């Protein structure tokens, strides 16, 4: 078989049915053969290579299967670098196949030659240049094994043109072992027993869970543990939806714009149990003040995360799916009713002084929070929520509620504006039976607005909720709070979104009045077609509560004047 056929057949044998890509000169032999594989491989033609990688990320996180990207060399490959970095820091399994010039031209600065391996080495789990057709099946099998095991992440295959056109025998074998790579470390019984004893001895335990729970498929195991030991629990941004929002022990999201209860309990617990999270600075605030009163158990599959930022009393290097049920066996049933009253007191303050005025204003412009809250409510809290980055992201996280796992898709660690629209397209393709709602700001939407063309061509039924405030909202908010209201280049003059929607054949409605909001959302959700809901919200809206940068996570702003006081 030709190398191009070997590649496509190897992808099929790995279970791939969808590719996000954009053709070009150095990947043309593969695209030529793809013409005869369309009955087995669906190719999504994006409008920019950055759209391909973000769509693959959304696909991977919605479907729990690696997203696949195919692009040409040079600018095609460099246009996916941002998304590769995003996937690396957020542990998203993607396999990127980039065309490359022929081996005889490597190192000559040939037309559109780029050092893909050099560029992507620091931001991938593994990258490899394929120069011979007989190496394709080995590399593909290895790529999928590495991308999707242990802590998932991106892999890049740089495929030279002569490897695409050369001939070789086809023989595909799944990869299940790589020497020196141990994706699922074993955890000793002694370590498990020590963790259980620490939990049993704790009077005020608190558990923080991250996306590692979702990636490991350990949602049920986590819920069983916190219910048996009655452990109040909070989620990181990427951990949202791992357990239902109405779980009795769940007290909300931690971190800079997290819920008051989750942050206060972090600072008052005597035992902090961290599961599948990496102590990001937006979670910890001032690290030297973070949970310094507590003993800390950190469970993570990646050894590099243990003691990297927060020093632990017990580090457990292992898969949550394996570790949590073993701890559960030795944990005593408990009731921490008095300890959980801390959450009730904190919630009362947040509900009355932040949530109520944001979600239930009596007059004035629409607030972002009331729009998100109403979308969540009318979708039965069962939609996949995708966000871009900025105020829309924090408001989307704060005011969405969840009943199913894998329902929150956002750019966490890298904070990539422009992520939202293509990621929502990928999520809908990966989970076609689910409603996908995108919350996006006017700045982020315009960064990848060309992907409306992908919706036009593919008929992808994404619900786009544009929280339109005519500003780069999050930067403007920081300018207001921390830079003396010097609004340097954050005001935006926006296009006529109705004309843009019409040009792409997408249903559209603008809503300005509170009385129209519910009807507009119901219209958006009424069928599976794409829809843009332009919610014209308060221009100078803020996101509270907020832990200022560099502060302890229990130093919480309720608004631009008042601070949370636990003794109130």
């Amino acid at each position: 078989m030709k190398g191009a056929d070997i590649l496509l057949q190897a992808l099929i044998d790995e279970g791939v049915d969808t590719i996000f890509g954009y053709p070009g000169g150095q990947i043309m032999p593969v695209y030529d053969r793809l013409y005869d594989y369309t009955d087995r491989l669906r190719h999504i033609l994006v409008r920019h290579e950055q759209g391909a990688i973000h769509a693959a990320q959304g696909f991977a996180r919605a479907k729990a299967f690696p997203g696949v990207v195919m692009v040409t060399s040079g600018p095609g490959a460099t246009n996916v670098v941002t998304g590769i970095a995003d996937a690396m820091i957020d542990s998203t399994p993607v396999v990127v196949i980039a065309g490359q010039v022929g081996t005889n031209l490597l190192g000559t600065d040939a037309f559109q030659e780029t050092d893909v391996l050099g560029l992507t080495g620091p931001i991938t789990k593994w990258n490899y240049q394929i120069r011979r057709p007989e190496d394709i099946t080995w590399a593909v099998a290895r790529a999928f094994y590495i991308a999707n095991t242990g802590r998932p992440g991106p892999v890049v295959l740089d495929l030279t043109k002569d490897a695409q056109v050369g001939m070789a025998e086809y023989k595909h074998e799944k990869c299940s072992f790589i020497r020196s790579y141990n994706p699922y470390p074993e955890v000793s019984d002694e370590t498990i027993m020590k963790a259980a004893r620490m939990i049993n001895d704790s009077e005020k335990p608190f558990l923080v869970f991250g996306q590692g729970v979702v990636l490991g498929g350990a949602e049920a195991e986590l819920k069983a543990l916190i219910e048996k030991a009655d452990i109040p629990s909070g989620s990181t941004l990427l951990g949202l939806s791992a357990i239902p929002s109405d779980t009795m022990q769940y007290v909300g999201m931690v971190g800079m714009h997290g819920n008051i209860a989750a942050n206060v309990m972090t600072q008052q617990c005597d035992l902090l149990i961290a599961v599948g999270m990496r102590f990001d600075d937006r979670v910890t605030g001032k690290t030297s003040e973070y949970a310094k009163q507590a003993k800390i158990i950190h469970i993570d599959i990646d050894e590099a995360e243990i003691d990297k930022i927060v020093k632990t009393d017990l580090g457990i290097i292992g898969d949550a799916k394996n570790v949590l049920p073993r701890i559960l066996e030795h944990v005593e049933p408990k009731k921490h009713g008095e300890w959980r009253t801390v959450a009730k007191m904190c919630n009362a303050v947040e509900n009355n002084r932040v949530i109520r005025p944001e979600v239930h204003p009596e007059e004035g412009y629409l607030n972002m929070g009331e729009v998100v809250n109403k979308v969540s409510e009318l979708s039965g809290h069962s939609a996949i929520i995708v966000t871009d980055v900025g105020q829309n992201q924090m408001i989307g996280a704060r005011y969405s509620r969840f009943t199913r796992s894998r329902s929150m898709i956002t750019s966490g660690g890298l904070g990539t504006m422009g992520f939202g629209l293509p990621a929502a397209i990928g999520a809908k393709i990966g989970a076609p039976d689910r409603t996908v709602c995108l919350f996006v700001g006017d700045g982020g939407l315009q960064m990848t607005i060309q992907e409306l063309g992908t919706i036009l061509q593919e008929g992808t039924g994404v619900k786009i909720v544009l929280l339109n405030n005519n500003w780069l909202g999050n930067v403007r908010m920081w300018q207001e709070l921390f830079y003396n209201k010097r609004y340097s280049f954050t005001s935006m003059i926006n296009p006529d979104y109705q004309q843009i929607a019409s040009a792409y054949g997408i249903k559209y409605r603008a809503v300005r009045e509170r009385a129209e909001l519910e009807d507009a959302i119901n219209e958006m959700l009424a069928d599976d077609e794409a829809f843009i809901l332009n919610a014209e919200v308060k221009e100078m809206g803020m996101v509270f509560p907020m832990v200022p940068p560099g502060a302890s996570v229990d130093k919480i702003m309720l608004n631009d004047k008042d601070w949370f006081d636990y003794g109130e």
Side-chain angles (χ1 to χ4, degrees), residues 430-448:
D433 59 325
R434 297 191 64 184
T435 298
V436 175
C437 290
L438 166 66
F439 294 113
V440 62
D442 33 332
L445 178 62
Q446 291 181 75
M447 281 198 169
T448 49

Side-chain angles (χ1 to χ4, degrees), residues 414-432:
L414 201 63
T416 305
M417 287 183 67
F419 172 89
L421 178 58
I425 293 169
K428 184 63 178 176
I429 291 170

Side-chain angles (χ1 to χ4, degrees), residues 465-478:
V465 182
L466 172 58
L467 299 175
N468 186 358
N469 59 12
N470 300 304
W471 289 85
L472 297 177
N474 211 52
V475 181
R476 181 211 56 79
M477 181 174 74
W478 280 52

Side-chain angles (χ1 to χ4, degrees), residues 261-281:
N263 285 331
V264 168
M265 295 182 91
T266 296
Q267 299 300 87
Q268 293 191 5
C269 65
D270 61 15
L271 176 66
L272 182 69
I273 309 152
V275 185
M277 55 87 77
R278 59 185 181 84
F279 292 112
D280 177 80
D281 59 290

Side-chain angles (χ1 to χ4, degrees), residues 295-405:
K295 293 182 179 179
I296 296 177
I297 300 172
H298 188 186
I299 303 168
D300 200 281
I301 202 165
D302 186 354
E303 182 178 5
E305 295 299 340
I306 305 297
D307 292 329
K308 184 176 81 174
I309 295 170
V310 172
K311 298 301 179 184
T312 63
D313 295 273
L314 179 62
I316 302 178
I317 306 161
D319 184 4
K321 182 78 170 178
N322 171 265
V323 172
L324 292 181
R326 292 173 63 192
I327 293 175
L328 179 68
E329 290 181 28
H330 305 287
V331 164
E332 299 168 357
K334 283 201 174 183
K335 295 294 181 184
H336 290 292
E338 184 177 353
W339 168 225
R340 286 198 287 108
T341 60
V342 172
K344 293 179 182 178
M345 288 186 280
C346 293
N347 289 342
V349 174
E350 186 168 350
N351 288 336
N352 290 328
R353 299 181 64 181
V354 180
I355 295 176
R356 191 173 302 280
E358 173 72 14
V359 175
H360 302 291
E362 295 179 0
E363 57 185 24
Y365 290 98
L366 287 170
N367 287 337
M368 292 178 286
E370 66 181 307
V371 176
V372 173
N373 180 71
K374 187 60 71 172
V375 170
S376 183
E377 176 189 315
L378 295 178
S379 62
H381 308 303
S382 62
I384 293 177
I385 301 301
V386 183
T387 82
D388 205 78
V389 169
Q391 287 185 319
N392 64 86
Q393 178 183 41
M394 293 296 100
I395 290 289
R398 281 188 50 78
Y399 293 101
S400 296
R401 293 176 64 79
F402 304 99
T403 58
R404 297 176 61 178
S405 185

Side-chain angles (χ1 to χ4, degrees), residues 90-312:
D90 280 356
S91 306
T92 304
V94 292
V95 175
V96 177
I97 300 159
Q100 184 56 277
V101 300
T103 54
N104 63 313
L105 295 175
L106 289 172
T108 68
D109 292 330
F111 179 66
Q112 294 192 334
E113 181 193 2
T114 302
D115 182 4
V116 172
L117 297 190
L119 282 168
T120 62
I123 54 171
T124 52
K125 278 190 77 176
W126 182 60
N127 65 5
Y128 184 75
Q129 187 174 78
I130 306 172
R131 299 185 178 190
R132 306 186 308 159
E134 50 264 45
D135 295 333
I136 292 175
T137 54
W138 172 86
V140 168
R142 190 179 180 96
F144 277 84
Y145 179 65
I146 291 172
N148 207 35
T149 54
R151 181 177 180 174
V155 168
V156 170
L157 298 178
D158 192 37
L159 183 62
T160 64
K161 201 163 189 178
D162 40 338
Q164 299 172 48
V165 300
M167 302 292 289
E169 294 290 329
Y170 181 79
K171 182 181 180 183
H172 185 74
E173 294 181 2
K174 288 267 189 177
C175 179
S176 59
F177 172 79
I178 297 173
R179 190 177 61 181
S180 79
Y181 173 57
N182 180 18
Y184 302 108
E186 291 191 12
V187 180
S188 69
D189 291 338
E190 180 182 356
T191 300
I192 295 294
M193 291 300 297
K194 184 176 180 181
R197 284 195 300 270
M198 291 173 72
I199 294 172
N200 291 336
D201 291 344
S202 171
E203 295 182 1
K204 295 192 295 183
F206 187 65
L207 188 147
V208 180
F209 59 89
Q211 190 186 203
V213 171
V214 176
L215 295 173
E219 297 94 335
E221 290 79 3
L222 172 68
K223 193 166 186 287
L225 176 63
I226 64 174
E227 288 180 339
K228 181 179 180 180
D230 196 26
I231 304 173
S233 303
S235 170
T236 67
L237 174 65
L238 294 186
L240 287 170
S241 83
I243 60 175
S245 301
D246 62 0
T247 302
M248 186 172 66
Q249 290 77 16
Y250 181 64
V251 301
M253 186 173 71
V254 298
M256 179 173 282
H257 289 292
N259 296 97
I260 294 173
N263 285 331
V264 168
M265 295 182 91
T266 296
Q267 299 300 87
Q268 293 191 5
C269 65
D270 61 15
L271 176 66
L272 182 69
I273 309 152
V275 185
M277 55 87 77
R278 59 185 181 84
F279 292 112
D280 177 80
D281 59 290
R282 290 296 175 94
V283 167
T284 64
K286 187 177 182 180
T287 309
S288 62
E289 298 293 321
Y290 182 77
K292 63 181 182 180
Q293 80 292 338
K295 293 182 179 179
I296 296 177
I297 300 172
H298 188 186
I299 303 168
D300 200 281
I301 202 165
D302 186 354
E303 182 178 5
E305 295 299 340
I306 305 297
D307 292 329
K308 184 176 81 174
I309 295 170
V310 172
K311 298 301 179 184
T312 63

